[in-house]
Amino acid sequence: MSESRPSKNYRTKAVVLRTYKSGEADRIVVLMTEDHGKVRAVAKGARKSKRQAALLEPTVHLDAQLYRGKGDLDTITQVQAVDPFPSIRADLDRFTRAASFIEATDHVTPDREPHERLYRMLVGALRTVAGENPTLTSAGFFLKLLALEGLEPVLDRCVSCGAEEPLVSFDTVNFGTRCQDCRSGIPISDEGIRICRLILTGGLAAALKLPDDPVLDDVNRLAASMLEHQIERPLKSLGVV
Ligand SMILES: [Zn+2]
């Protein structure tokens, strides 16, 4: 590992995933960085500086100067906002959604393994949520995250018997659709399956433009269940859906 260590002082863009208090005035910050993967760092005196405290909050996109010491924790020496996403912070629906992306990213990312594509995907998703926030943003992020981690669901046949249609449910254990005869798991319509496939075959932009319809919420719930099953835990930030 030592050969991939950044120099002692380094600078990177990052999204704040999580923070917690440490001692009297410090804050530990978990960052998804552009260049070094997930990094834990201490922000000394952060709780005494209003400017810093405002930036070191989950979902904030920032530019950080860090110092790599001998331990597991780096030290944040300077932070600047890239985009604090005020609209996410001002709106509970947006914040809940952004928090679920952050939580999922946190769970799939080991410490200090560079994963630039996931970093970019997270920043892109946060920008979308901060902007028009189309309904399928959640399914888009969760399905793309599964694909990025090599965990794409089977959506073109029954995972039990191989039949190609009619597919009527999704089996989270065998991670694929099931036909009418083998149905078990989460019911899903033809249209819902079609939308999942569209997202996974380069059609996310088109999916995000689909007019609102209850099927979009079904797809969001299904995609969240897929991800929760793969990371083997519920996404706390989604609460009871
Ligand atoms: Zn079947």
Side-chain angles (χ1 to χ4, degrees):
M1 291 294 281
S2 58
E3 63 276 15
S4 65
R5 282 196 158 207
S7 62
K8 290 218 157 194
N9 283 294
Y10 66 100
R11 187 175 174 163
T12 182
K13 285 188 180 151
V15 173
V16 179
L17 299 180
R18 229 163 0 111
T19 80
Y20 44 98
K21 290 175 186 174
S22 167
E24 284 292 297
D26 302 347
R27 197 164 265 284
I28 309 286
V29 185
V30 183
L31 298 168
M32 181 66 191
T33 70
E34 182 172 28
D35 307 313
H36 309 286
K38 189 163 81 180
V39 168
R40 288 162 207 277
V42 59
K44 295 218 155 85
R47 280 152 55 212
K48 287 184 177 159
S49 154
K50 268 193 180 165
R51 193 194 73 89
Q52 244 200 6
L55 289 180
L56 298 176
E57 288 290 338
T59 77
V60 171
H61 190 205
L62 46 77
D63 188 296
Q65 188 93 42
L66 295 114
Y67 174 79
R68 173 94 201 246
K70 288 199 173 100
D72 289 339
L73 282 178
D74 292 2
T75 304
I76 295 180
T77 51
Q78 226 181 66
V79 279
Q80 276 181 313
V82 173
D83 194 339
F85 296 126
S87 66
I88 291 180
R89 218 150 299 284
D91 178 280
L92 185 60
D93 284 344
R94 280 192 166 89
F95 187 77
T96 303
R97 178 169 266 190
S100 72
F101 298 169
I102 287 223
E103 190 184 344
T105 300
D106 196 1
H107 285 315
V108 303
T109 315
D111 286 2
R112 297 195 196 273
E113 275 182 27
H115 200 336
E116 197 186 335
R117 284 179 69 194
L118 177 52
Y119 163 82
R120 291 198 183 288
M121 205 173 86
L122 177 62
V123 171
L126 291 175
R127 281 193 187 124
T128 306
V129 172
E132 288 189 9
N133 193 22
T135 304
L136 281 176
T137 311
S138 291
F141 184 79
F142 296 146
L143 289 171
K144 290 283 197 184
L145 180 60
L146 286 167
L148 202 56
E149 299 298 304
L151 302 166
E152 230 171 284
V154 172
L155 295 169
D156 60 353
R157 62 181 184 279
C158 172
V159 280
S160 177
C161 74
E164 286 175 11
E165 56 188 12
L167 300 170
V168 299
S169 68
F170 188 85
D171 164 3
T172 49
V173 178
N174 295 295
F175 221 55
T177 38
R178 276 181 175 252
C179 74
Q180 182 73 45
D181 294 337
C182 311
R183 67 184 308 157
S184 75
I186 302 164
I188 183 74
S189 63
D190 272 351
E191 180 63 4
I193 296 170
R194 198 187 66 77
I195 293 169
C196 291
R197 285 190 200 138
L198 177 67
I199 291 170
L200 286 168
T201 51
L204 178 58
L208 292 179
K209 291 196 187 99
L210 289 172
D212 254 328
D213 184 284
V215 74
L216 306 190
D217 299 312
D218 294 345
V219 171
N220 277 342
R221 276 191 291 268
L222 176 64
S225 299
M226 287 179 188
L227 187 80
E228 288 177 324
H229 192 82
Q230 290 294 344
I231 65 175
E232 295 179 332
R233 58 192 295 165
L235 287 167
K236 276 183 288 178
S237 41
L238 287 181
V240 181
V241 182

